[in-house]
Amino acid sequence: MIRLQTDGAFAPDGLAGAGIVWQQGAKRHTQSVPLTVQDNHAAEFKAAQLGFELLNDAGLKNEIVQFTTDSKAVVAALQKRYSHGYAPELAALLAVTDQFRLVFPKWVPEKTTHQVHELAQQALQRQRDQN
């Protein structure tokens, strides 16, 4: 089983970032990615999409994925396969999650997402440093 956790961050100045942590057995991988999105929900969807794309690129499509995020919107959209305000973002996410054998999405409280939150914040900071 693969454990995947993602977080999206969006700042008032319009910068956004994604934090991604995935673990298979004892191997732990982290990534911090700058994003171009319109708001925090879009950042959460994009972070999840990028996380699954990383697993796909690593050749792990045949694995079961336990996916956790602090975004209730992303978890509800995955479970219902519907999102009123974020249909394009959900479609992009489903296009990649549907390639996996089995995905268990689960909402977790923000207080349990420190590492991915910090990675998303690092992506924001790198963008500020470049401007």
Side-chain angles (χ1 to χ4, degrees):
M1 181 186 305
I2 306 292
R3 297 183 189 280
L4 171 65
Q5 187 169 67
T6 65
D7 188 39
F10 185 81
D13 58 6
L15 299 177
I20 302 163
V21 175
W22 65 274
Q23 185 171 346
Q24 182 180 32
K27 291 184 182 178
R28 189 173 184 90
H29 307 268
T30 63
Q31 191 138 4
S32 175
V33 182
L35 301 175
T36 304
V37 295
Q38 303 105 324
D39 60 32
N40 190 63
H41 286 308
E44 296 282 6
F45 275 96
K46 188 64 174 180
Q49 178 190 339
L50 292 173
F52 280 97
E53 287 174 355
L54 286 172
L55 297 181
N56 187 8
D57 292 347
L60 300 171
K61 288 192 291 188
N62 291 325
E63 298 291 331
I64 296 170
V65 180
Q66 180 183 12
F67 169 60
T68 58
T69 176
D70 66 359
S71 171
K72 290 181 180 180
V74 169
V75 171
L78 279 172
Q79 290 173 335
K80 296 175 185 176
R81 300 183 68 83
Y82 171 80
S83 175
H84 175 70
Y86 295 89
E89 291 85 354
L90 175 59
L93 178 55
L94 288 172
V96 67
T97 59
D98 285 351
Q99 297 178 37
F100 288 83
R101 187 170 78 168
L102 196 54
V103 174
F104 291 107
K106 181 181 177 187
W107 175 81
V108 293
E110 188 175 323
K111 65 183 178 184
T112 66
T113 63
H114 296 295
Q115 186 177 18
V116 290
H117 177 77
E118 184 59 34
L119 290 166
Q121 293 299 315
Q122 288 172 14
L124 288 174
Q125 190 58 49
R126 281 199 312 277
Q127 290 180 72
R128 286 190 182 105
D129 293 346
Q130 292 173 353
N131 292 335

